[in-house]
Amino acid sequence: MTTVVDMEAGRDDARRVVHQATPRELPVDVPTGNDLERIIGFHVRRLRLAEGLGVAEMAQRIGISKAMLSKIENAQTSCSLNMLAKLATGLDVPVTSLLRGADTRRDAVFTPDGQGATIVGRGTSAGHDYELLGALRGSNKRIEPVLVTLTAESEAHPRFQHPGTELLYMLSGDMIYHHAESEYRLRPGDSLLLDGEGVHGPVAMLELPIRFLSVTAYPDGVDG
């Protein structure tokens, strides 16, 4: 049995509020880069002040001397892994929280409008265009962003099945999209998050041209 879901239904309902356990935003004044002493000191002081504790009180809680805590906060000493663990335990945060802002070389790929590589051999047919919006190398080669443009009705609609998770975000047009045993009507602003192992693909193009962003996250060790 196929279920057709109209994404228009319930648009005026109150939105669910989802709280992130670990916020992505950094404090505006956090030091960044490779100066780990400054970064750790910044976070230790920030967390201590958030608790409303003085240096002596926090040092006692952590189990180190007041002088050592002062040196850490002022980036005057390097922390061993053991010291980082003690700080994190005393401040009741993960060790990673004390390193937020630290960075090494990170790659980014900029793709100008209309200059992404065309993907051939992925069910492409007349009027179906798949534009790769960038790809990172190495361990980060797990996310594949593709801009899909459908400009003409084809005799057969391509179907897809692959490992990983895929997010579709509609930019323009109107279509019915099939996944597993359900069908979804997608219009601009709608999104569909799906398990790639379920057979999926457009089944009806109601308003052309159709453009949507497809972002696929592959499991480790899988080549998209």
Side-chain angles (χ1 to χ4, degrees), residues 90-107:
L91 294 164
D92 195 25
V93 295
V95 169
T96 53
S97 295
L98 303 179
L99 299 172
R100 298 191 71 203
D103 204 0
T104 56
R105 176 181 171 180
R106 300 294 179 184
D107 292 330

Side-chain angles (χ1 to χ4, degrees), residues 5-38:
V5 179
D6 189 338
M7 306 297 280
E8 189 72 37
R11 283 179 187 265
D12 296 328
D13 293 343
R15 293 186 178 183
R16 277 186 66 202
V17 177
V18 180
H19 296 280
Q20 278 190 312
T22 304
R24 295 188 178 194
E25 298 84 358
L26 291 171
V28 293
D29 52 346
V30 64
T32 58
N34 297 319
D35 192 342
L36 295 181
E37 289 80 11
R38 286 186 61 226

